[in-house]
């Protein structure tokens, strides 16, 4: 499904621009000739999309980012505020590579993302927006999770893993990539989750060194039995350990 946003004119030379606000920031598409930092407005970035194919599995989905329309987000409970700008990068894909890149990116659609178009403001020239294609997991897709308790979400990300690797590496990679874009491109939601996950990692390492029992995995497993909690499902999944898949498109190409 493709949803048009008339906010900026389409290029007429066959090229297209792609906006990345998640792993595309640090894992570029296979072909591009320009990469520009900047932002879009009217959206909020949140770890509210389940990932069954990259950072989780169908049995124990991880969590990845999607964009929520700001007017809808304002109706939802959320401990984090959100700046007007969602920072990311825009890639220019030249006409001769459009088919290949679109085919490659369309793999994403299978996990609930759909194609939208939105104006992107280059940081170096915000007065001249560019029409960009963006993948969004809208609230009506099956993988949309919506607001979650923030500490439970951090625990869930800590425990999740999929063919593309650890869910926490995606989170921490996104936080780092955002910090590197500009002095003002940090994202409170992403940074808070990263700090919580780092704290869990430290606690678990400490527990490991002390040989203690009852860490987050044991706790989560207990929760599965008693409450069927989402985070706990991650723990059960984690104990099954999904190996990295060499041919995986995220590991090899996008992210
Ligand atoms: C990204 O911006 O990295 C992205 C978001 C959703 C689907 C694919 C890529």
């Amino acid at each position: 499904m493709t949803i048009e946003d008339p906010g900026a004119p389409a290029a007429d030379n066959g090229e297209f621009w792609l906006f990345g606000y998640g792993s595309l920031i640090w894992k570029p598409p296979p072909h591009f000739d320009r990469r520009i930092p900047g932002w879009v407005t009217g959206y909020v970035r949140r770890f509210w999309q389940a990932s069954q194919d990259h950072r989780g599995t169908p049995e124990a989905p991880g969590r990845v980012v999607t964009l929520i329309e700001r007017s809808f987000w304002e109706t939802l409970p959320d401990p984090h505020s959100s700046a007007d700008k969602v920072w990311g990068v825009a890639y220019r894909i030249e006409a001769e590579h459009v088919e290949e890149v679109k085919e490659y990116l369309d793999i994403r659609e299978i996990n609930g993302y759909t194609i939208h178009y939105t104006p992107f403001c280059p940081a170096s020239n915000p007065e001249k927006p560019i029409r960009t294609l963006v993948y969004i997991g809208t609230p009506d897709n099956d993988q949309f999770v919506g607001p979650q308790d923030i500490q439970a979400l951090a625990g869930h990300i800590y425990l999740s893993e999929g063919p593309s690797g650890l869910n926490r590496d995606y989170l921490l990679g996104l936080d780092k990539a955002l910090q590197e874009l500009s002095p003002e491109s940090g994202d409170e939601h992403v940074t808070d989750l990263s700090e919580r996950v780092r704290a869990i990692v430290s606690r678990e390492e400490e527990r490991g060194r002390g040989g203690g029992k009852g860490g987050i995995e044991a706790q989560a497993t207990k929760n599965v039995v008693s409450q069927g909690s989402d985070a706990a499902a991650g723990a059960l999944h984690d104990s099954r350990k999904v190996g990295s898949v060499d041919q995986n498109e995220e590991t090899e190409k996008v992210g």
Side-chain angles (χ1 to χ4, degrees):
M1 181 171 55
T2 303
I3 294 159
E4 283 292 334
D5 179 329
D12 53 13
N13 61 357
E15 70 182 30
F16 82 100
W17 287 80
L18 169 69
F19 176 59
Y21 59 94
S23 54
L24 274 171
I25 298 176
W26 75 95
K27 287 187 180 173
H31 298 283
F32 66 96
D33 69 340
R34 290 185 67 192
R35 177 186 183 272
I36 305 179
W39 62 82
V40 301
T41 57
Y43 291 101
V44 173
R45 172 178 25 225
R46 288 293 180 262
F47 267 84
W48 290 0
Q49 179 81 357
S51 173
Q52 301 185 335
D53 56 353
H54 287 291
R55 301 294 173 161
T57 63
E59 299 75 36
R63 294 286 181 272
V64 288
V65 284
T66 185
L67 296 181
I68 323 295
E69 274 189 31
R70 178 169 285 273
S71 55
F72 177 60
W73 171 77
E74 280 165 354
T75 68
L76 303 171
D78 193 332
H80 297 139
S81 62
S82 176
D84 282 346
K85 300 171 184 170
V86 176
W87 276 82
V89 293
Y91 294 99
R92 188 170 72 174
I93 318 296
E94 293 164 296
E96 64 264 38
H97 298 302
V98 165
E99 277 320 303
E100 186 187 340
V101 171
K102 282 198 168 158
E103 206 172 290
Y104 161 77
L105 289 167
D106 279 351
I107 291 167
R108 295 294 188 159
E109 286 204 63
I110 58 176
N111 223 195
Y113 290 102
T114 45
I115 291 172
H116 302 249
Y117 290 91
T118 194
F120 167 87
C121 295
S124 57
N125 193 3
E127 305 306 318
K128 257 192 115 182
I130 299 167
R131 179 181 187 263
T132 53
L133 182 157
V134 59
Y135 281 81
I136 297 178
T138 53
D140 57 356
N141 90 87
D142 286 349
Q143 312 303 328
F144 187 77
V145 182
Q148 296 139 91
D149 174 83
I150 200 66
Q151 187 59 28
L153 178 56
H156 190 98
I157 290 171
Y158 169 78
L159 292 168
S160 296
E161 184 175 8
S164 297
L166 294 173
N167 203 169
R168 77 186 85 142
D169 289 347
Y170 172 98
L171 166 67
L172 300 178
L174 178 57
D175 191 37
K176 180 167 178 287
L178 284 172
Q179 307 293 343
E180 287 170 0
L181 283 185
S182 142
E184 49 175 282
S185 54
D187 181 315
E188 182 188 320
H189 175 74
V190 175
T191 300
D192 183 30
L193 278 172
S194 298
E195 283 166 4
R196 288 169 189 268
V197 165
R198 282 193 204 96
I200 296 171
V201 170
S202 302
R203 275 204 302 277
E204 293 302 305
E205 281 175 2
E206 193 58 37
R207 218 187 301 265
R209 274 195 290 278
K213 290 205 166 113
I216 190 168
E217 290 195 30
Q219 186 56 46
T221 307
K222 221 163 79 189
N223 288 347
V224 166
V225 176
S226 64
Q227 298 164 13
S229 92
D230 207 11
L236 280 185
H237 162 248
D238 197 49
S239 64
R240 284 185 216 125
K241 290 286 178 220
V242 177
S244 218
V245 175
D246 285 340
Q247 315 89 303
N248 179 270
E249 77 282 0
E250 178 177 350
T251 310
E252 292 286 299
K253 299 171 186 167
V254 179

